[in-house]
Amino acid sequence: MTTFALKEWDTQCQALTSGRSALLIRKGGIMETHEGFEVEHRAFLLYPTFLHQNPAELRPEFTGLLRDDPEPGTIVLPALAEVVAVHRVESLEQALALEPLQALTAGAIERRFLYRNRPWVHALLLRVRPLAAPLRLPETPEMLGCVSWVPLGDVQHQAASPVLGEAELGRQRAILEGRLTGGSGAEP
């Protein structure tokens, strides 16, 4: 069975894997189809990418996670992510209300929201389970490019317990949904 990985900035992968965040705001890569990013898989490995990471687009409390690629030529996949909730957000005001729940600045969220003149983003609440041992794969030409989903083939991995318990994920979901319905939601 083919395992898929989702490319995301290394900083965001670190925030998710450490439990500092459980939310991703996604639009898609420049090589995505005309329709843009879609949540094609409900469980996937996190694929940290160092390409296009921009310190100016990270909230200050996350910039300390920035680093150079520790193993160029090797992809180090740290965790399994499972989609708990996904929302297509078509209001910039709602998208900006999600800023405190994840690592991107309001400016980065707005840029992603408006990208390619298609006003929307996906908000993905994730249950993240670190791998017992990070999966190390040689980076191949098929993995390169600005795409979201990368097929890895039949790779073996073992995930540990989630970094956030079910009660905390439920709380994060309530906050997310509260902010998307116009409420402020409780603070994270």
Side-chain angles (χ1 to χ4, degrees):
M1 185 163 88
T2 297
T3 300
F4 285 85
L6 177 67
K7 281 188 177 182
E8 185 53 74
W9 286 356
D10 174 68
T11 302
Q12 296 221 81
C13 289
Q14 288 183 65
L16 290 164
T17 303
S18 68
R20 291 180 63 184
S21 174
L23 184 70
L24 279 182
I25 296 177
R26 295 288 309 192
K27 183 64 167 243
I30 60 174
M31 295 175 70
E32 302 290 1
T33 66
H34 179 70
E35 304 305 317
F37 174 79
E38 291 298 330
V39 183
E40 298 173 25
H41 309 282
R42 292 297 178 157
F44 47 85
L45 295 174
L46 293 176
Y47 182 129
T49 182
F50 296 85
L51 188 64
H52 304 305
Q53 278 198 123
N54 184 346
E57 292 191 343
L58 292 169
R59 294 179 42 227
E61 58 267 42
F62 293 95
T63 58
L65 297 175
L66 284 165
R67 62 184 179 158
D68 291 329
D69 187 344
E71 295 184 45
T74 300
I75 304 303
V76 181
L77 302 126
L80 175 70
E82 302 162 337
V83 178
V84 173
V86 61
H87 299 274
R88 183 175 166 121
V89 182
E90 296 180 343
S91 156
L92 179 57
E93 181 180 347
Q94 289 174 332
L96 293 174
L98 303 179
E99 181 189 17
L101 306 179
Q102 49 75 65
L104 299 175
T105 63
I109 293 169
E110 183 172 1
R111 184 181 64 79
R112 288 181 181 204
F113 184 88
L114 298 172
Y115 183 64
R116 288 193 174 167
N117 232 2
R118 288 181 260 173
W120 58 268
V121 290
H122 279 100
L124 286 78
L125 184 66
L126 302 174
R127 176 184 301 107
V128 178
R129 300 171 55 200
L131 298 184
L135 181 61
R136 287 177 162 72
L137 300 174
E139 188 173 51
T140 65
E142 295 79 28
M143 294 174 168
L144 302 176
C146 293
V147 296
S148 296
W149 298 108
V150 177
L152 300 175
D154 186 15
V155 295
Q156 301 299 310
H157 60 278
Q158 182 179 1
S161 299
V163 293
L164 297 177
E166 290 305 308
E168 178 59 20
L169 273 175
R171 188 179 83 79
Q172 291 289 326
R173 185 177 196 159
I175 293 168
L176 169 64
E177 291 173 359
R179 288 175 181 256
L180 291 176
T181 58
S184 64
E187 287 305 308

